[in-house]
Amino acid sequence: MSGSAPQPPARKRSTAAVGWLITIALNVVAPIVLYNQLHDHGYSESVAIILSGLGPALDIVIYLAWHRRVDEFAILSLTFVALTLVISLVGPDDPRLLLAKDSFVTGLLGVVYLATLAAPRPLMFYFGRKFATDGTPQMIAWWNGMWQYPGFRLVQRNLTLVWGLTFIVEAVVRVVLVYQLPHSQMVTVNSVLPYAVIGALVYWTMAYARRASARGRAATAAAQATAAEAVGAESA
């Protein structure tokens, strides 16, 4: 479709901030806290994992009541919890295998990312809609409408590709390290590396999105200048 991409509607910063706080609290903080507290108080690993999904489940309910649609990020969080539960129940209780199980979940998550490249819209499109908008109908309509522009589609697919490949590489590295490092060191790696990777991905995503937006504005300005020159030449 020809024409320049429309500018986004004015974003309600307070609404977006509240949405971010709820998402992070229920999908990131709550599962970690619930799992650690339950596990430390004698609950089995499977029960602790199941109950850690209460945060994302509550987020789905809140988001559905607030925006009248399902929160894709919370759905992925629940999927992650379900994968963790399945993998925790599979296989013998070998110490090294137990340390490697977290990596299997990360690798499967990466495969999910890559698989959505074959879907009508890749996974990062929905994450972008979640975090780049304030959830209002106007912002959602603007974000959905951006899909008609080839440059926007390319950015969403590239983001999904990089996130998926990074998760798979992280999983492979962690599995290799499980059989190279002492258990005590590997426990530290499992606790630190995933958050370091996520932080790096978030930073890269924001930088890449800014560069892509700048290129889009430059291309639009160049096209408008060319059109103006053509009109001027016809009028001369």
Side-chain angles (χ1 to χ4, degrees), residues 1-235:
M1 182 174 178
S2 60
S4 60
Q7 293 299 311
R11 188 179 185 185
K12 296 181 179 178
R13 295 187 179 275
S14 59
T15 301
V18 171
W20 274 62
L21 287 174
I22 292 175
T23 295
I24 294 173
L26 294 180
N27 291 282
V28 180
V29 178
I32 294 173
V33 172
L34 282 172
Y35 173 81
N36 289 334
Q37 289 296 316
L38 291 169
H39 197 266
D40 291 345
H41 285 78
Y43 287 85
S44 67
E45 184 174 7
S46 58
V47 171
I49 292 173
I50 291 172
L51 293 180
S52 71
L54 290 176
L58 179 58
D59 187 35
I60 291 176
V61 173
I62 293 174
Y63 201 85
L64 185 61
W66 189 1
H67 298 292
R68 298 294 189 270
R69 62 184 182 83
V70 174
D71 180 8
E72 297 88 358
F73 188 82
I75 291 294
L76 183 68
S77 297
L78 281 178
T79 302
F80 187 84
V81 170
L83 288 174
T84 303
L85 176 63
V86 170
I87 291 177
S88 71
L89 298 175
V90 174
D93 291 333
D94 176 72
R96 292 193 182 277
L97 184 58
L98 289 173
L99 288 171
K101 283 182 177 182
D102 289 343
S103 304
F104 298 152
V105 176
T106 302
L108 284 174
L109 187 60
V111 171
V112 169
Y113 270 81
L114 297 183
T116 65
L117 290 171
R121 298 183 183 186
L123 192 56
M124 288 303 290
F125 169 84
Y126 298 102
F127 283 3
R129 190 171 68 181
K130 165 74 176 178
F131 292 106
T133 74
D134 58 12
T136 59
Q138 294 82 2
M139 286 289 285
I140 295 298
W142 166 76
W143 186 264
N144 290 340
M146 290 293 291
W147 187 253
Q148 65 187 295
Y149 299 100
F152 180 83
R153 296 196 297 269
L154 178 63
V155 168
Q156 301 309 311
R157 291 190 172 113
N158 285 345
L159 289 174
T160 303
L161 177 65
V162 170
W163 277 67
L165 290 176
T166 301
F167 281 140
I168 291 174
V169 170
E170 179 204 334
V172 171
V173 169
R174 288 167 64 188
V175 169
V176 171
L177 291 178
V178 163
Y179 293 94
Q180 298 294 325
L181 298 178
H183 290 182
S184 58
Q185 293 182 17
M186 194 59 217
V187 169
T188 302
V189 170
N190 272 354
S191 300
V192 174
L193 184 59
Y195 297 104
V197 170
I198 289 291
L201 281 171
V202 169
Y203 177 83
W204 173 82
T205 297
M206 292 188 296
Y208 177 72
R210 284 195 297 268
R211 290 195 301 269
S213 179
R215 287 195 299 268
R217 290 193 299 269
T220 297
Q224 290 173 344
T226 301
E229 290 176 0
V231 170
E234 291 177 359
S235 301

